[in-house]
Amino acid sequence: MPVAKFHLSEDLITQESARQILQQASAIYAEVLDSPIERTRVFISSYNPDYVAVGGEVCSDSGKMMAFFEFIVLEGRSLEQRTAIGEQFTQLLCHTLGIDRSLIRGYCSLVAPEDWYIAGNPASAVRKAEVDARSQGQGNG
């Protein structure tokens, strides 16, 4: 279920740095949430610096770098987990792109399991089926 979107000025990103962000953000999610990495989805959107402003100044004029991230988790994830993701995503951008952390912003969205869909089914139903299958498998061993 974990989904992250990174919004970056296109003058900051290279193919190699994009790969690093995509792979490392997926690993951060999997580790912090103790979730299979196969469930993660990470996206990067890049923007022409002529069409981005930081502090009221167009980035192409000011030379300021823009980085913003959003991440989505199911309700029930702890504040500690959400904070760890936000901190580690910030560190990832600082390290990978050389952005001053004071210019990085992020946002966490909490989604109710009945409002998130996996293969067309609510996550609440999918997770219940997974738990039921595991408990049935334990009884047969």
Side-chain angles (χ1 to χ4, degrees), residues 22-49:
L22 294 167
Q23 292 170 338
Q24 291 179 21
S26 297
I28 288 167
Y29 250 149
E31 181 181 330
V32 172
L33 300 180
D34 192 27
S35 176
I37 200 164
E38 295 78 18
R39 292 185 177 164
T40 63
R41 305 292 186 267
V42 180
F43 304 88
I44 295 174
S45 293
S46 62
Y47 302 88
N48 182 316

Side-chain angles (χ1 to χ4, degrees), residues 60-71:
S60 60
D61 295 339
S62 69
K64 289 184 179 175
M65 299 181 207
M66 183 281 292
F68 174 74
F69 61 84
E70 304 171 73
F71 63 98

Side-chain angles (χ1 to χ4, degrees), residues 60-98:
S60 60
D61 295 339
S62 69
K64 289 184 179 175
M65 299 181 207
M66 183 281 292
F68 174 74
F69 61 84
E70 304 171 73
F71 63 98
I72 304 168
V73 295
L74 288 178
E75 286 178 347
R77 294 299 188 171
S78 71
L79 176 59
E80 181 179 86
Q81 289 173 311
R82 299 187 318 263
T83 300
I85 292 167
E87 173 58 28
Q88 290 182 45
F89 281 0
T90 299
Q91 287 177 5
L92 173 61
L93 294 175
C94 288
H95 175 75
T96 305
L97 302 177

Side-chain angles (χ1 to χ4, degrees), residues 7-9 12 65-69 93 97 99 103-105:
H7 304 272
L8 306 168
S9 182
L12 288 176
M65 299 181 207
M66 183 281 292
F68 174 74
F69 61 84
L93 294 175
L97 302 177
I99 300 173
L103 296 174
I104 299 170
R105 300 293 186 268

